[in-house]
Amino acid sequence: MTRTSTATPLAPHPDRLFAAEPGARAVARTVYDAVADAPIISPHGHVDAALIADDQPFADPASLLITPDHYVLRLLHANGVGLEALGRADLSGTHPAPPGRAVWRNLAEHWDDFLATPVRYWFETELHDVFGLTEQPSAANADAQYDHIAALLQQPQMRPRALFDAFGIEVLATTDAPDADLAAHARLAADPTFTGRVVPTFRADAVFDPSRPDWRPVVASVGEAAGIDTGTHAGLLAALRARRQYFIQHGATATDTGVLDAGSMPLSATERERIHAAALRGDVSTADATAYRHDMLYRWAEMSVEDGLVMQLHPGVLRNHHGPTLERFGPDTGHDLPAVGSFTEPLRPLLESFGTAPGFHLVLFTVDETVFSREIGPLAGFYPAVYAGAPWWFIDTPAAIGRYRSAITDSASFTKTSGFIDDTRAYCSIPARHDMARRADAAYLASLVVTHQISEEDAVRTARRIVSDIPKATFKL
């Protein structure tokens, strides 16, 4: 695009996130250069495999870059833009989605509301590097930028598979429902023209909590997919084991579990069956539902020991905090919020049984970074099974990545971490997010070099391991 005299240039600085001090900055450059173009390992994300299998042109800039990204939605909503103006469907059907151009204008007019956030960082990188923009978005250039990106999206090089290669993605993990047929994964695996690797991840949160309104239909759907009666708790466990095997046959190496807390106290078979029957009748108590959920977390670890799937766990998120928004627009609309995290005591029953089991990997994530040094680091520093998940969601920022490294490394070293987690539905932001993490890690490693804690050679070697060997080992890729 031709920049007008009043436009603000869009040109990400080559030394962004590096220290101001020249010596540390020079080391950070060296470390970053060693990994800048390394393949992307993305073991935890939410891109739909059908997007890549179908390989159709993206519809428009807004539906690609704004509407599916809850990071973007929540900040625009916080600054007065209604979700209906951002392309999210009103479940009542009374407000049809606006044209993509109107959605894009909302982003451009609120561009400064993203200043100093990781969202702004990712956007600047992808708008410049992927779409070739040279101006910051603004009300004045919104239509021109929209037209520029829309025209690009019709080009063959901007289709999902071409971008997969251009982004340098080696492995991309999706997140999939327990009854998913994984047809898109099967198509990709059987397609000789696709040389990338896209693997499913088993996500079965709903079956853990019988107080959820969708518990009974999801339990029934799992049974139908497995061909096993889930009218008993034993039947549900058998169906889940069968579905896990189905996912493994389609390339899965991990599960992903989000629960309110990390409680893992097991129940007797009699108690499990009693609560399961009550839940199917629709009269389970709050206390029984909590006990059932804690037992299910224990059983989930038990299954991982049996079949080898990596167990990802991220408790401590209050889902759908704003009831009216949930009712009007559904879930994943920006109002899942952090709660106080706790792992050491809640996970003790699970870890006493499985924390030293050969081959068991438990990756712990949190949105409460106070537990990194207090609980997750020390747990990963003793239990062979425990790995410290990278900062994500509300704390996947450059500053938080530095705090994570400082908090975890003392207790657990680099090798007991997960590698970077982009956790995104926004396909074109994947390289920007990984680049940010590589820069933040380069800055942290450089700080150790200039304070003579490690050598520059150690820093380069560790940076390479962080982006390749460590995530591959942690997630059994």
Side-chain angles (χ1 to χ4, degrees):
M1 294 183 63
T2 302
R3 184 168 66 85
T4 66
S5 59
T6 58
T8 303
L10 178 64
H13 196 282
D15 287 337
R16 58 195 184 279
L17 305 188
F18 300 160
E21 192 277 315
R25 186 168 66 245
V27 175
R29 285 176 188 155
T30 298
V31 175
Y32 171 73
D33 287 346
V35 296
D37 297 322
I40 289 174
I41 309 295
S42 179
H44 178 121
H46 301 284
V47 172
D48 188 347
L51 176 84
I52 302 167
D54 295 342
D55 199 34
Q56 295 300 307
F58 295 104
D60 66 84
S63 64
L64 172 62
L65 301 173
I66 299 174
T67 303
D69 193 337
H70 64 85
Y71 286 82
V72 178
L73 295 184
R74 63 186 302 274
L75 277 173
L76 288 172
H77 183 270
N79 284 280
V81 184
L83 294 178
E84 70 279 0
L86 297 172
R88 292 307 294 244
D90 186 321
L91 300 182
S92 70
T94 56
H95 294 280
R101 185 181 300 277
V103 176
W104 186 265
R105 286 172 179 166
N106 277 312
L107 172 73
E109 291 167 3
H110 287 265
W111 184 247
D112 283 348
D113 294 331
F114 292 91
L115 192 65
T117 68
V119 181
R120 171 81 169 244
Y121 182 103
W122 302 327
F123 252 130
E124 288 180 341
T125 303
E126 64 183 302
L127 292 179
H128 181 272
D129 294 356
V130 179
F131 298 105
L133 297 185
T134 59
E135 299 173 358
Q136 299 279 359
S138 68
N141 67 20
D143 284 348
Q145 290 196 338
Y146 183 89
D147 290 338
H148 173 83
I149 297 174
L152 274 180
L153 293 180
Q154 301 308 306
Q155 302 300 312
Q157 70 271 20
M158 299 304 291
R159 288 197 177 192
R161 293 194 188 187
L163 288 176
F164 192 99
D165 294 335
F167 293 163
I169 299 173
E170 181 175 330
V171 182
L172 178 69
T174 64
T175 303
D176 306 272
D179 61 347
D181 63 11
L182 305 181
H185 288 89
R187 279 193 286 146
L188 287 171
D191 188 343
T193 68
F194 180 69
T195 58
R197 184 179 178 193
V198 180
V199 299
T201 302
F202 194 70
R203 181 76 179 261
D205 293 4
V207 303
F208 282 62
D209 186 355
S211 68
R212 286 176 52 146
D214 59 345
W215 181 80
R216 281 185 286 180
V218 171
V219 166
S221 71
V222 169
E224 291 171 7
I228 296 174
D229 182 5
T230 54
T232 65
H233 190 264
L236 174 60
L237 294 183
L240 288 169
R241 284 186 168 93
R243 293 300 297 164
R244 289 168 66 106
Q245 287 300 320
Y246 183 82
F247 271 66
I248 290 171
Q249 291 162 11
H250 284 76
T253 69
T255 68
D256 181 29
T257 303
V259 286
L260 185 58
D261 65 80
S264 60
M265 182 64 69
L267 295 173
S268 69
T270 301
E271 278 296 280
R272 298 199 301 271
E273 293 294 355
R274 179 187 68 79
I275 299 172
H276 189 86
L280 288 176
R281 293 193 304 269
D283 61 0
V284 66
S285 70
T286 299
D288 278 352
T290 299
Y292 186 99
R293 172 164 46 82
H294 291 175
D295 176 82
M296 281 297 296
L297 197 63
Y298 183 94
R299 302 301 155 195
W300 213 234
E302 188 173 52
M303 292 183 197
S304 285
V305 172
E306 294 168 359
D307 63 25
L309 286 177
V310 176
M311 180 177 171
Q312 298 178 85
L313 178 63
H314 50 92
V317 177
L318 296 175
R319 304 280 176 177
N320 305 311
H321 192 267
H322 189 241
T325 297
L326 174 66
E327 183 177 348
R328 184 175 175 189
F329 295 102
D332 300 320
T333 44
H335 52 112
D336 295 342
L337 295 172
V340 175
S342 182
F343 293 87
T344 304
E345 282 300 323
L347 284 178
R348 190 170 187 178
L350 184 157
L351 291 173
E352 286 196 321
S353 294
F354 310 119
T356 59
F360 177 43
H361 289 193
L362 173 63
V363 186
L364 301 180
F365 295 99
T366 183
V367 287
D368 175 8
E369 65 176 292
T370 66
V371 302
F372 279 138
S373 61
R374 188 179 72 243
E375 301 192 32
I376 293 179
L379 286 169
F382 173 77
Y383 286 99
V386 176
Y387 293 79
W392 69 311
W393 208 342
F394 290 92
I395 51 176
D396 50 2
T397 69
I401 290 172
R403 292 192 295 269
Y404 161 83
R405 289 295 177 197
S406 297
I408 294 295
T409 305
D410 286 349
S411 295
S413 78
F414 292 98
T415 55
K416 292 303 298 294
T417 60
S418 66
F420 179 64
I421 300 297
D422 56 65
D423 183 46
T424 188
R425 293 174 176 83
Y427 188 52
C428 289
S429 75
I430 291 175
R433 292 171 190 246
H434 283 263
D435 181 76
M436 185 192 76
R438 292 173 186 191
R439 289 176 175 276
D441 281 337
Y444 175 72
L445 289 164
S447 74
L448 300 182
V449 173
V450 298
T451 52
H452 308 292
Q453 298 181 67
I454 66 174
S455 69
E456 189 169 305
E457 292 77 12
D458 286 333
V460 168
R461 185 171 63 253
T462 301
R464 287 174 173 155
R465 295 187 69 196
I466 287 171
V467 303
S468 181
D469 297 345
I470 286 173
K472 286 180 179 179
T474 301
F475 289 93
K476 302 183 181 180
L477 294 168

